[in-house]
Amino acid sequence: MHSDAPELISPAAGTYDEMLAQDGGARAHYRAYADWLAARSADAMSAKRAEADLIFRRIGITFSVYGDEGGSERLIPSDLVPRIIPAEEWALLERGLIQRVRAINRFLGDIYHDQAILKAGLIPEGQILGNDQFQVAMIGIRVPHDTYAQIVGVDIVRHSDGGFYVLEDNLRVPSGVSYMLSNRKMMMRLFPDLFRLHRVRPVEHYPALLLQTLREATEADDPTVALLTPGRFNSAYFEHAFLAQQMGIELVEGQDLFVKNGYVYMRTTSGLQRVDVIYRRLDDNFLDPLAFRPDSLLGVPGLLAAYRMGRVAIANAIGTGVADDKSIYPYVPEMVRFYLGEEPILGNVPTWQCRKPEDLAYVLAHLSELVVKEVHGAGGYGMLVGPTSSSAEIEAFRAVLLARPSNYIAQPTLSLSTCPTMVEEGVAPRHIDLRPFVLMGREVRIVPGGLTRVALRRGSLVVNSSQGGGTKDTWVVDSLPGGPGEGDATERTREAREVQRQSQLPGDVPAGSGDAPPGLDDSSHYAGL
């Protein structure tokens, strides 16, 4: 152990810590990492963190906070202590995620066609047909392979009981995958020796899987795919540009596209090109000013008509937002049973729907104990975390809730698991969640792990970047035969070369060229979490 090793602060009693067991020792899948960390000095780790921040800022991985009058861009901290998931735990999560996303896609196909689940009385009809995210224009439209949500981000938490629970489903424009990829490249660049100690499953092939999934969203042969962005002032623009570059497809804005004779075309430097699949990163209401918001300057006039004729595919499909509405979330376990005839592998968090008088009465009587969220909310805005709120904040929120109870749901304040995180006082436990990304084309594809978000403020349960959260690299690890570090020299050499290749960040030049890696355009920025 290094004499100046970072101080490892123990988690609070009753909290499940991903690294440390109740007796203070490292869990089996963290032991090699714990030994490695104990052999490092605090100064060395601080220097590595400063290096990571510098590179991230130079590349342009920053974000803007909505409502920030200064309009300044901020760096989303990437913590250097990874969140490690053993392979057997990931196998359970993977099965549960696949099951859940299949059921949700079946649900979306049903509500826009037969509406069998409504006729069965499992979900109140008015809660679907009267939902702001339900798109009447989608009724009767068939999509290829009956896949409505090709890209789904599922937020998962671990409770103090050690079990995993789904906190919410993100289907409209799930974001954050660029951080998953950038965090991995950064960790491999800074700590290549760690990847020789652990068999960490790769994630760098996600863009290839995403492109394959998008190409499968249409019946067209050799389809042309484009990523539709709201533009460079959108808080998630870095991710849009990053993914388009990684997939080798065009990044377009609404003004780059037009509809002619029922087909969508994009303007390019070499002339017009037909577009078969649009990976859209803007909400339904902005897609087509002729069908939705007439004041939208971000969309493509006539896009819905082309979509209804089956001449262009849109991922995710129009109208998928109804399935990530927090008032629909409580019914997902019933969707699994109804459509698949199976019991849910991953459970939901108990949820009170404030539109129900009896639920509202309970929530009002227990505001100081609950987390209350807007059904269409995102980014940690418009919510109340009762245990950390003042009496004045609770009473002010009570008035808001009473004014529009149907706009809110409530959940118990979970004791989210913690993971050691580098902060000012040392390596201290901070609460985390996990967002795996599920891709659904002709088959379901998931890269191992996902984006781990961390609440950097002591005691905070809000992991959103807009509320001061950060991110971690997420490792799904396989056991090394005979223990970490063993194996023949040829295999270790191959792994070392692979680590070097995968650690290349956007804008890097080949090693040994003598040139510094240029950053992306200074306007690139990303929030979207």
Side-chain angles (χ1 to χ4, degrees):
M1 180 173 180
H2 198 284
S3 59
D4 186 32
E7 181 184 359
L8 193 59
I9 300 171
S10 299
T15 301
Y16 187 99
D17 190 80
E18 299 291 336
M19 177 174 173
L20 301 177
Q22 289 296 316
D23 62 4
R27 300 185 189 276
H29 57 284
Y30 257 109
R31 284 174 192 154
Y33 179 82
D35 291 343
W36 177 91
L37 183 63
R40 290 341 184 243
S41 71
D43 287 345
M45 292 300 290
S46 294
K48 289 290 188 182
R49 182 169 62 176
E51 182 181 350
D53 288 350
L54 177 63
I55 295 173
F56 269 14
R57 191 173 296 280
R58 198 160 77 191
I59 292 171
I61 308 179
T62 58
F63 74 101
S64 300
V65 177
Y66 293 118
D68 183 353
E69 294 182 0
S72 60
E73 295 185 351
R74 304 179 190 175
L75 185 74
I76 297 183
S78 177
D79 187 60
L80 300 186
V81 180
R83 192 256 182 89
I84 303 179
I85 302 173
E88 57 272 16
E89 284 190 353
W90 175 250
L92 171 70
L93 287 171
E94 188 174 46
R95 290 197 307 273
L97 290 165
I98 291 171
Q99 179 194 62
R100 191 175 183 97
V101 171
R102 281 180 170 155
I104 289 173
N105 267 288
R106 293 278 295 275
F107 163 74
L108 288 165
D110 182 28
I111 62 170
Y112 288 115
H113 293 88
D114 298 335
Q115 301 184 345
I117 199 167
L118 305 185
K119 294 171 184 174
L122 296 180
I123 303 178
E125 184 177 285
Q127 204 162 341
I128 299 297
L129 304 184
N131 193 292
D132 289 344
Q133 298 298 321
F134 181 79
Q135 296 292 355
V136 175
M138 283 295 294
I139 294 176
I141 295 181
R142 288 290 176 188
V143 298
H145 318 299
D146 292 323
T147 302
Y148 287 76
Q150 286 83 5
I151 305 102
V152 182
V154 182
D155 292 347
I156 293 175
V157 296
R158 194 202 293 265
H159 190 35
S160 57
D161 61 6
F164 290 107
Y165 298 88
V166 175
L167 193 60
E168 62 183 62
D169 305 289
N170 300 279
L171 288 93
R172 281 174 285 181
V173 282
S175 60
V177 75
S178 60
Y179 273 98
M180 176 189 77
L181 297 169
S182 297
N183 285 344
R184 174 60 54 85
K185 289 179 181 291
M186 182 62 68
M187 287 292 288
M188 296 181 92
R189 167 181 286 200
L190 296 179
F191 307 112
D193 53 326
L194 275 175
F195 291 85
R196 291 189 288 272
L197 284 174
H198 301 81
R199 286 190 174 173
V200 183
R201 295 188 186 179
V203 298
E204 81 281 352
H205 57 301
Y206 176 87
L209 295 181
L210 175 59
L211 180 58
Q212 180 65 25
T213 300
L214 293 170
R215 290 171 63 88
E216 292 173 359
T218 178
E219 303 288 0
D221 295 327
D222 193 22
T224 296
V225 183
L227 193 156
L228 177 60
T229 175
R232 60 188 290 263
F233 295 109
N234 181 265
S235 61
Y237 184 72
F238 168 78
E239 176 151 303
H240 306 166
F242 176 88
L243 288 176
Q245 185 270 333
Q246 292 289 305
M247 288 189 286
I249 64 175
E250 292 294 333
L251 179 69
V252 298
E253 298 181 26
Q255 61 189 357
D256 300 318
L257 303 177
F258 68 94
V259 176
K260 181 179 180 181
N261 298 327
Y263 294 97
V264 178
Y265 295 88
M266 64 178 168
R267 299 176 176 90
T268 72
T269 54
S270 57
L272 301 181
Q273 183 174 0
R274 181 177 158 185
V275 176
D276 301 294
V277 181
I278 296 175
Y279 176 27
R280 52 82 170 249
R281 296 301 297 259
L282 64 161
D283 287 338
D284 291 351
N285 287 340
F286 298 97
L287 283 173
D288 183 348
L290 300 182
F292 303 112
R293 283 185 55 160
D295 61 342
S296 173
L297 300 178
L298 304 176
V300 184
L303 179 60
L304 178 63
Y307 183 58
R308 289 181 63 89
M309 287 187 284
R311 293 176 175 175
V312 68
I314 299 175
N316 287 344
I318 295 171
T320 54
V322 68
D324 77 5
D325 185 301
K326 294 179 179 63
S327 69
I328 305 303
Y329 157 90
Y331 299 104
V332 176
E334 282 304 316
M335 295 178 198
V336 172
R337 298 184 184 100
F338 184 76
Y339 297 112
L340 307 181
E342 302 169 359
E343 282 301 309
I345 296 170
L346 297 175
N348 272 16
V349 176
T351 302
W352 290 271
Q353 301 182 60
C354 297
R355 65 178 184 82
K356 299 180 178 179
E358 62 275 18
D359 284 11
L360 176 61
Y362 180 87
V363 171
L364 290 171
H366 297 84
L367 275 178
S368 62
E369 307 164 16
L370 303 173
V371 175
V372 188
K373 306 175 184 178
E374 288 183 311
V375 295
H376 301 306
Y381 295 105
M383 65 185 290
L384 174 80
V385 182
T388 62
S389 299
S390 66
S391 297
E393 289 170 333
I394 290 173
E395 291 310 308
F397 199 90
R398 184 188 304 274
V400 173
L401 176 57
L402 283 169
R404 292 191 64 193
S406 63
N407 199 43
Y408 293 91
I409 57 98
Q411 296 171 329
T413 305
L414 298 181
S415 177
L416 304 187
S417 67
T418 59
C419 188
T421 302
M422 288 187 64
V423 291
E424 291 300 322
E425 63 263 37
V427 180
R430 291 293 186 267
H431 293 293
I432 59 172
D433 78 352
L434 175 66
R435 178 177 290 180
F437 296 91
V438 185
L439 302 175
M440 188 164 184
R442 288 192 175 94
E443 61 183 67
V444 182
R445 305 174 176 98
I446 312 176
V447 294
L451 177 68
T452 291
R453 302 184 297 178
V454 54
L456 295 175
R457 299 186 183 118
R458 182 189 299 175
S460 175
L461 298 172
V462 182
V463 300
N464 307 81
S465 59
S466 55
Q467 308 297 313
T471 64
K472 286 176 173 284
D473 191 13
T474 307
W475 297 1
V476 174
V477 294
D478 292 302
S479 299
L480 283 167
E486 297 191 9
D488 61 53
T490 301
E491 177 65 11
R492 290 200 301 272
T493 300
R494 186 197 65 77
E495 290 177 353
R497 288 173 178 166
E498 182 66 9
V499 165
Q500 183 181 36
R501 182 188 69 79
Q502 293 182 24
S503 66
Q504 296 295 305
L505 285 155
D508 275 358
V509 292
S513 68
D515 295 325
L520 298 179
D521 188 297
D522 289 341
S523 64
S524 296
H525 54 290
Y526 166 71
L529 300 183

